[in-house]
Amino acid sequence: MNKNIFILTHGDTGAFETGSVPFEVRIPLNGHGKKSVKKKAEVYPGLLVADHKNDKIGDMHSGITGVVTEVTETQVIIKAQELAAPAEGEEPKPTGVEPVDLASLEGEELQAALKGLGVDIRPFIRRCDLLILNALNPEPGITYAESMLVHAKSTINAGLDMLKRLSPASRTVVALPTGSTAAFDGSDVAFIEPAYPNSLDELVVAKITGKEIMKGVNVVSLHMLYNLGAVAESGMPLTHTVVCVEGKNIVAPIGTPVGALLKDASIEVTDSDTVIMGGPMRGEATGDLNKGISKDTNALFVMPAGSTAPISDHACFSCGACIQHCPSRIQPNMISRYVEFNELDFCRQENINACMECGLCTYYCPARRPMLQYIRLGKHKIALEESQVAACALQVEE
Ligand code: SF4
Ligand code: SF4
């Protein structure tokens, strides 16, 4: 077994590349009810395209100049193009939006302004005493972390200052890979051995606090902080993010099609290859190269056809490999079987929610069962069941 594949990249400080302007963006919506643009509308960078009625979920903005070609429940598609010159006597067309003065705002006003600028503020305002910035590369093959700390230092510092204004935490610790020389004013640092799965939030918390509980602790990832910092630094809407494309870090407009980003990184994809959005251990496969990246897309990988045996719902033959490697010390083999047969109570008994979704059980399973996918499905079904029970209880109380 090759243990090197679990080493998390560290010490790599290559600069980010700016992606070429894609021919279109497909801005993904997730419950954004009110669309602010219609088909054929002319848009420019920073223009609001859809807002979310939840006051903690960020609104969505265009990252490019162009014309809206489609508006659906799930996406706004914008074709990149120069806008027609104004007719004689008409006002010049806007080319951007004015920045918001975030320094003068506090409390709910600050939160509302950030939400309006596209920031999902929920991860930053959770009740906690200890705030941890997880600055390790999250998965093997992802390389942006130390590049961000070097080349986007002012953005990261602006994000950290803003995070401290939003969070109720009394102490902040930055988790870095062992050997890193990054320094942060007003925050402690802790060093973590850069080997997967040590970068998982739960394991970072255990290493720093010595306890296996998340109570009173909030963990924010470096990618999230970079997005927050980009808004905090400029006062402008969140329109771009950093995506690690097979090791190459590209700054791209939100909504850039997956296929366009792979092309930018000179990666050719055949019909039989598997494209993964996210890291190789925890990401999700997509069959749609036109799918637009979201604010949270941190990586893209391509698994060439034939490089691994295909995953399928083969039967478990009880070899125990998944149990041996599970950092949550649960029984993935049993849980996956219970999910398969919709035995949700047994899933609860086996502590399915203790799963950290590291993906190691899928990696090690010689039967090539889709273990992580089963577990995510089981968690989703349990959450759905519990929300329905809660809704019924409310009706009874009424
Ligand atoms: S994904 Fe699998 S190995 Fe990882 S914590 Fe969950 S059950 Fe354990
Ligand atoms: S690794 Fe796969 S085959 Fe082995 S016990 Fe776990 S689920 Fe079963």
Side-chain angles (χ1 to χ4, degrees):
M1 183 181 314
N2 180 4
K3 292 209 162 157
N4 287 339
I5 67 157
F6 292 124
I7 291 175
L8 297 170
T9 304
H10 52 102
D12 183 339
T13 54
F16 294 162
E17 292 180 19
T18 303
S20 47
V21 176
F23 81 97
E24 69 175 16
V25 290
R26 294 176 170 241
I27 299 173
L29 306 180
N30 188 7
H32 292 80
K34 195 169 148 214
K35 323 294 183 300
S36 304
V37 290
K38 291 189 174 144
K39 197 170 170 177
K40 296 189 180 167
E42 294 184 336
V43 300
Y44 47 87
L47 184 77
L48 179 71
V49 297
D51 69 7
H52 203 292
K53 69 174 190 240
N54 185 316
D55 63 1
K56 306 282 185 282
I57 297 180
D59 300 335
M60 301 300 283
H61 306 79
S62 175
I64 63 169
T65 299
V67 173
V68 176
T69 55
E70 202 175 331
V71 179
T72 72
E73 279 310 298
T74 56
Q75 62 181 353
V76 174
I77 305 178
I78 299 167
K79 183 176 171 224
Q81 65 178 60
E82 291 293 321
L83 301 184
E88 209 177 317
E90 265 184 12
E91 291 283 307
K93 292 184 178 172
T95 54
V97 295
E98 289 297 314
V100 174
D101 178 14
L102 295 170
S104 63
L105 303 176
E106 283 302 330
E108 288 185 0
E109 277 185 350
L110 177 60
Q111 291 183 17
L114 289 168
K115 174 250 183 335
L117 290 170
V119 178
D120 291 342
I121 57 171
R122 291 170 301 177
F124 306 126
I125 59 172
R126 287 190 192 119
R127 275 216 298 229
C128 64
D129 304 314
L130 173 62
L131 179 65
I132 296 177
L133 169 61
N134 185 349
L136 278 85
N137 277 309
E139 292 185 47
I142 296 183
T143 58
Y144 57 69
E146 278 169 292
S147 299
M148 252 179 211
L149 297 178
V150 172
H151 298 288
K153 196 167 174 36
S154 65
T155 305
I156 294 299
N157 284 342
L160 199 51
D161 288 345
M162 180 59 77
L163 180 56
K164 288 179 182 174
R165 287 170 65 191
L166 293 169
S167 173
S170 53
R171 183 180 167 224
T172 307
V173 178
V174 182
L176 294 165
T178 305
S180 170
T181 53
F184 297 87
D185 289 342
S187 303
D188 297 334
V189 293
F191 295 104
I192 310 275
E193 191 201 338
Y196 193 75
N198 294 352
S199 52
L200 297 181
D201 288 350
E202 293 86 342
L203 297 182
V204 168
V205 169
K207 175 79 182 167
I208 291 174
T209 65
K211 294 179 188 154
E212 291 190 349
I213 48 167
M214 303 289 279
K215 198 168 172 221
V217 187
N218 185 21
V219 186
V220 169
S221 73
L222 195 63
H223 193 267
M224 265 192 242
L225 189 86
Y226 175 87
N227 286 347
L228 176 65
V231 173
E233 198 176 22
S234 64
M236 301 292 274
L238 179 62
T239 56
H240 289 62
T241 195
V242 172
V243 186
C244 176
V245 186
E246 288 275 2
K248 192 181 272 191
N249 294 306
I250 300 178
V251 181
I254 291 159
T256 300
V258 166
L261 264 174
L262 291 170
K263 199 169 165 205
D264 248 2
S266 310
I267 296 166
E268 281 187 25
V269 185
T270 68
D271 285 349
S272 324
D273 295 340
T274 304
V275 176
I276 301 168
M277 294 182 81
M281 302 301 286
R282 313 178 83 191
E284 294 192 352
T286 178
D288 181 5
L289 293 186
N290 290 323
K291 188 169 178 171
I293 59 160
S294 73
K295 300 168 192 175
D296 306 323
T297 305
N298 64 355
L300 289 179
F301 286 87
V302 178
M303 240 182 355
S307 59
T308 56
I311 297 268
S312 186
D313 52 353
H314 305 293
C316 164
F317 47 73
S318 302
C319 70
C322 56
I323 305 172
Q324 198 188 346
H325 291 97
C326 175
S328 294
R329 302 192 299 276
I330 54 178
Q331 301 207 53
N333 57 337
M334 297 310 295
I335 295 174
S336 69
R337 290 184 219 189
Y338 292 142
V339 176
E340 227 175 335
F341 296 100
N342 210 29
E343 295 284 0
L344 299 185
D345 282 340
F346 286 125
C347 290
R348 288 187 184 93
Q349 280 174 29
E350 292 286 345
N351 292 317
I352 186 173
N353 283 326
C355 166
M356 305 174 199
E357 302 189 10
C358 68
L360 287 173
C361 46
T362 310
Y363 177 81
Y364 281 108
C365 177
R368 306 295 292 146
R369 284 167 62 74
M371 304 293 285
L372 179 57
Q373 289 73 13
Y374 275 136
I375 290 171
R376 282 181 174 156
L377 176 65
K379 285 183 176 182
H380 174 73
K381 282 186 169 184
I382 287 173
L384 204 61
E385 198 178 89
E386 286 172 1
S387 69
Q388 283 162 352
V389 170
C392 286
L394 282 175
Q395 283 171 18
V396 171
E397 276 174 22
E398 281 169 7

